[in-house]
């Protein structure tokens, strides 16, 4: 299941924007590390999972990067490889099909640690010039933010603020 935005809004630890996004598409994670530690324990305790014979778009899979496991969603299937989105960081990656493993139910049942979002009032798919992207990065990079309001959980439409009583990120 994806990160529950309503739960993230109630979290006293705040949220963080993962690197590499734009105001119209970014990955949001909870700042509280206890969620990540629970997932990390489950992934560390994994026995060798079953190799997947086939993969389809939208399927949750496991991938091993040589040192640890990650959960990813198949976003595109090509002839010999697949494009993936890490459901816990929002990162994008591409791997050969032979590197995909089945996700055990105890790991699949844990909520994702990130969710794709868009700032309220921003047009999805907007093109951003270099200055706007630098401003966005400067505003959110390395900062714990307040998830002030969730307008649409399905679309990931949110309002972020620098602090509880501060201005919204979109208005800065």
């Amino acid at each position: 299941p994806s990160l529950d935005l309503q739960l993230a809004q109630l979290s006293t630890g705040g949220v963080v924007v993962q690197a590499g996004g734009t105001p119209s598409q970014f990955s949001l994670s909870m700042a509280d590390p206890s969620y990540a530690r629970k997932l990390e324990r489950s992934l560390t305790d994994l026995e060798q999972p079953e190799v997947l014979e086939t993969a389809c778009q939208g399927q949750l899979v496991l991938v091993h990067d040589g040192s640890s496991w990650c959960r990813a969603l198949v976003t595109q299937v090509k002839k010999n490889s697949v494009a993936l989105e890490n459901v816990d960081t929002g990162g994008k990656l591409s791997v050969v099909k032979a590197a995909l493993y089945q996700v055990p139910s105890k790991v699949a049942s844990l909520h994702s640690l990130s969710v794709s979002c868009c700032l309220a009032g921003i047009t999805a798919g907007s093109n951003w010039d270099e200055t706007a992207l630098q401003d966005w990065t400067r505003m959110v990079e390395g900062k714990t933010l307040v998830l002030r309001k969730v307008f649409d959980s399905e679309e990931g439409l949110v309002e972020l603020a620098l602090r509880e009583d501060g201005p919204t990120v979109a208005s800065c």
Side-chain angles (χ1 to χ4, degrees):
S2 20
L3 173 67
D4 184 340
L5 282 171
Q6 304 300 335
L7 175 66
Q9 187 176 10
L10 297 174
S11 171
T12 56
V15 294
V16 292
V17 173
Q18 299 295 326
T22 69
S24 59
Q25 176 159 25
F26 57 92
S27 292
L28 191 68
S29 300
M30 294 185 55
D32 182 345
S34 64
Y35 296 94
R37 283 193 298 266
K38 182 177 181 180
L39 173 63
E40 188 177 309
R41 279 192 305 272
S42 293
L43 291 173
T44 303
D45 294 343
L46 275 179
E47 300 295 324
Q48 182 64 33
E50 187 177 322
V51 175
L52 286 174
E53 298 296 323
T54 61
C56 57
Q57 191 167 335
Q59 183 177 6
L60 184 64
V61 299
L62 276 179
V63 179
H64 198 273
D65 68 5
S67 62
S68 62
W69 292 100
C70 74
R71 302 182 301 170
L73 195 64
V74 176
T75 56
Q76 184 180 23
V77 179
K78 301 174 185 171
K79 184 176 180 180
N80 296 315
S81 65
V82 292
L84 304 169
E85 179 178 348
N86 184 318
V87 299
D88 298 311
T89 66
K92 311 279 190 247
L93 61 151
S94 182
V95 300
V96 295
K97 289 181 181 177
L100 302 177
Y101 295 86
Q102 188 169 342
V103 182
S105 59
K106 74 174 188 166
V107 174
S109 65
L110 298 173
H111 284 285
S112 299
L113 299 183
S114 73
V115 64
S116 184
C117 290
C118 175
L119 284 181
I122 303 291
T123 305
S126 297
N127 290 324
W128 300 94
D129 66 26
E130 195 58 38
T131 303
L133 291 175
Q134 289 171 352
D135 289 345
W136 166 251
T137 301
R138 191 175 58 255
M139 276 194 297
V140 300
E141 187 175 52
K143 295 184 174 78
T144 300
L145 304 171
V146 175
L147 178 55
R148 187 174 283 161
K149 188 169 184 180
V150 177
F151 290 95
D152 186 333
S153 291
E154 293 294 314
E155 295 295 319
L157 197 58
V158 298
E159 179 180 276
L160 297 174
L162 301 175
R163 59 185 187 278
E164 195 64 51
D165 59 348
T168 66
V169 170
S171 67
C172 293

